Amino acid sequence: SAVISQKPSRDICQRGTSLTIQCQVDSQVTMMFWYRQQPGQSLTLIATANQGSEATYESGFVIDKFPISRPNLTFSTLTVSNMSPEDSSIYLCSVRLPGTSGGAQNIQYFGAGTRLSVL
Amino acid sequence: RKEVEQDPGPFNVPEGATVAFNCTYSNSASQSFFWYRQDCRKEPKLLMSVYSSGNEDGRFTAQLNRASQYISLLIRDSKLSDSATYLCVVNRRGTYKYIFGTGTRLKVLA
């Protein structure tokens, strides 16, 4: 399994400001994933962060709004820029590791999330 | 149509009951399937992978029906601590993306 440390765990921010969320993993991983989970909704993938290259963004998410850094194989940051109340959500960092049961499936692990409220 | 669909519930069941959830997926190229559990205000955590032949882990049984494109989760002898949201997760062959369903909420009542 993976131990993922994500911070801050929560924040209340003013409209127009930016927040950077940090994610630290206890093992080296090629890809790190950033998700958003809005109230009552499931997880939506924002982008995939690869070490040494630009992040890959999903439809509806752009780099100017959600810049991502991936300086090494154990760390990534997601910035929520120029925030508005619509950005209020839980942001989750995630990695995938091979399963331990002998199957071929990769298991996805999550950080505890960052609960963001924008006023 | 969503790629992964679940009944949102809530399913309210008494302690000790057996409860089953289904999840349908639309892409026949899907190859990996999982059930995750998410407690209120917590991150999702893997409950179990779903294998083609079906698999069991204690009180939990997962089944895959490729012909009808659905997976199921059966919980026997429900406990109060089983109250949570259960997320169906599907991975499409050839991609790295895991698609999450919206979850089925279970409440086990004393």
Side-chain angles (χ1 to χ4, degrees), chain B:
Chain B
R1 183 186 173 190
K2 292 181 182 176
E3 189 164 347
V4 177
E5 294 206 68
Q6 295 182 253
D7 181 343
F11 284 58
N12 297 321
V13 303
E15 236 179 327
T18 295
V19 61
F21 310 135
N22 279 345
C23 164
T24 59
Y25 59 94
S26 61
N27 195 313
S28 60
S30 300
Q31 66 169 4
S32 301
F33 308 89
F34 309 87
W35 283 103
Y36 274 71
R37 171 190 169 131
Q38 187 172 25
D39 292 289
C40 187
R41 295 178 173 268
K42 298 285 189 179
E43 73 275 22
K45 292 183 179 177
L46 177 69
L47 176 65
M48 59 196 303
S49 302
V50 185
Y51 300 113
S52 297
S53 56
N55 47 299
E56 189 173 303
D57 183 1
R59 299 182 293 108
F60 300 85
T61 300
Q63 296 278 355
L64 168 63
N65 186 316
R66 286 192 185 273
S68 301
Q69 295 185 197
Y70 75 85
I71 67 172
S72 64
L73 177 67
L74 181 79
I75 305 175
R76 290 180 298 277
D77 188 22
S78 299
K79 311 290 184 191
L80 294 175
S81 57
D82 294 333
S83 298
T85 297
Y86 291 84
L87 303 171
C88 171
V89 184
V90 173
N91 170 236
R92 198 184 316 153
R93 182 179 296 118
T95 79
Y96 59 82
K97 296 182 186 179
Y98 283 25
I99 311 298
F100 287 77
T102 53
T104 297
R105 191 169 166 213
L106 170 67
K107 295 174 85 171
V108 181
L109 307 171

Side-chain angles (χ1 to χ4, degrees), chain A residues 37 42 58 96 105-106 108, chain B residues 36 38 49 96-98 101:
Chain A
Q37 187 174 29
S42 189
E58 296 301 304
R96 247 170 246 161
Q105 297 172 328
N106 289 324
Q108 191 144 1
Chain B
Y36 274 71
Q38 187 172 25
S49 302
Y96 59 82
K97 296 182 186 179
Y98 283 25

Side-chain angles (χ1 to χ4, degrees), chain A residues 1-2 4 93-98 100 107-111, chain B residues 36 44 46:
Chain A
S1 65
I4 304 173
C93 169
S94 178
V95 302
R96 247 170 246 161
L97 294 174
T100 55
I107 306 301
Q108 191 144 1
Y109 298 92
F110 291 88
Chain B
Y36 274 71
L46 177 69

Side-chain angles (χ1 to χ4, degrees), chain A residues 9 30 34 38 41 94 98 103 107:
Chain A
S9 59
T30 304
W34 287 99
Q38 294 180 308
Q41 307 282 321
S94 178
I107 306 301

Side-chain angles (χ1 to χ4, degrees), chain A:
Chain A
S1 65
V3 176
I4 304 173
S5 302
Q6 188 175 336
K7 61 181 180 181
S9 59
R10 59 175 60 234
D11 210 339
I12 300 172
C13 300
Q14 294 296 323
R15 183 195 297 261
T17 63
S18 297
L19 174 71
T20 295
I21 303 168
Q22 298 180 8
C23 180
Q24 178 78 50
V25 189
D26 67 342
S27 54
Q28 295 184 337
V29 292
T30 304
M31 292 192 288
M32 295 178 75
F33 303 90
W34 287 99
Y35 286 84
R36 182 172 75 182
Q37 187 174 29
Q38 294 180 308
Q41 307 282 321
S42 189
L43 283 77
T44 300
L45 181 63
I46 297 171
T48 303
N50 304 296
Q51 195 271 333
S53 64
E54 291 280 330
T56 303
Y57 288 83
E58 296 301 304
S59 175
F61 298 97
V62 296
I63 188 170
D64 289 346
K65 176 67 176 176
F66 298 100
I68 287 172
S69 78
R70 185 76 203 276
N72 57 52
L73 290 172
T74 63
F75 187 79
S76 179
T77 67
L78 170 77
T79 299
V80 186
S81 302
N82 188 24
M83 288 184 283
S84 67
E86 292 71 37
D87 294 321
S88 298
S89 188
I90 299 171
Y91 293 84
L92 293 146
C93 169
S94 178
V95 302
R96 247 170 246 161
L97 294 174
T100 55
S101 62
Q105 297 172 328
N106 289 324
I107 306 301
Q108 191 144 1
Y109 298 92
F110 291 88
T114 297
R115 188 176 296 272
L116 172 62
S117 297
V118 184
L119 305 178

